[in-house]
Amino acid sequence: MLAVWLLPEFSELEAALALEAARRWERPAYTVAKGRKGTPALAGSVWTPTYAFPAAPPPTVLVVPGARRPAHMAQDPAYLAFLEEVWEGLEAVFLGHNAHLFLAEAGRLPAVVAAEGETAEALGQRGYRVLEKPFHQEGKVYTTRGGLSLLEAMQDWAKKAVVL
């Protein structure tokens, strides 16, 4: 089961790409957030998540789209508890354009990542080795430059293409 984690002010593009990939692979998918009320997105839309943390079925794949202030969310005990609860059961974790900052703050980001721009700069300052490529896999974590790079990483993991 694939879960798309909607942090406040998340990237609609990245969330939609992940959900569309799951649909085309005929893999069950859902959205999850801290609560069931509408979650605002970067471009101004509001999405109602399928599940709130306590009720979400355990995912095997977690997609975290980029968001406005992802590192800030790792200071919330509810976000950290959900991550802790699902982490061991995950086969893969995909990070959107700056979701790395959330996983870094939560202490689960690998030492080598793919990132660009402000995200690459912030991670470099924290001692991470940043690669200039669309995505990088380290263990179960796929870091990406975001956007279509997220879809490329998901296709690499699934060994299946998604024709848009």
Side-chain angles (χ1 to χ4, degrees):
M1 186 156 307
L2 184 143
V4 178
W5 193 345
L6 305 179
L7 298 175
E9 297 183 272
F10 67 95
S11 165
E12 292 107 317
L13 171 66
E14 292 175 352
L17 286 171
L19 291 170
E20 183 62 15
R23 185 185 73 78
R24 292 186 185 222
W25 295 333
E26 298 178 353
R27 184 176 190 112
Y30 63 88
T31 54
V32 63
K34 184 176 177 179
R36 278 275 294 137
K37 64 180 183 173
T39 303
L42 280 172
S45 67
V46 176
W47 289 29
T48 301
T50 311
Y51 296 101
F53 294 158
T60 53
V61 176
L62 184 63
V63 178
V64 186
R68 180 147 340 260
R69 297 181 313 148
H72 181 71
M73 297 305 111
Q75 297 168 9
D76 184 323
Y79 285 88
L80 293 176
F82 178 72
L83 185 63
E84 181 69 29
E85 180 182 323
V86 302
W87 188 261
E88 290 306 316
L90 294 173
E91 296 172 18
V93 178
F94 296 93
L95 302 175
H97 77 277
N98 68 351
H100 316 52
L101 300 173
F102 171 75
L103 221 54
E105 193 71 24
R108 297 202 181 258
L109 188 67
V112 181
V113 298
E116 68 179 350
E118 292 177 5
T119 304
E121 187 178 317
L123 292 171
Q125 290 172 355
R126 292 181 181 190
Y128 290 91
R129 186 168 145 235
V130 180
L131 305 176
E132 292 187 25
K133 51 193 241 184
F135 69 89
H136 176 71
Q137 181 220 347
E138 190 109 354
K140 64 175 135 187
V141 178
Y142 282 78
T143 53
T144 76
R145 292 178 148 196
L148 293 176
S149 296
L150 176 66
L151 181 61
E152 191 177 334
M154 292 179 71
Q155 291 176 121
D156 180 77
W157 173 78
K159 307 290 187 248
K160 294 180 185 176
V162 175
V163 181
L164 299 176

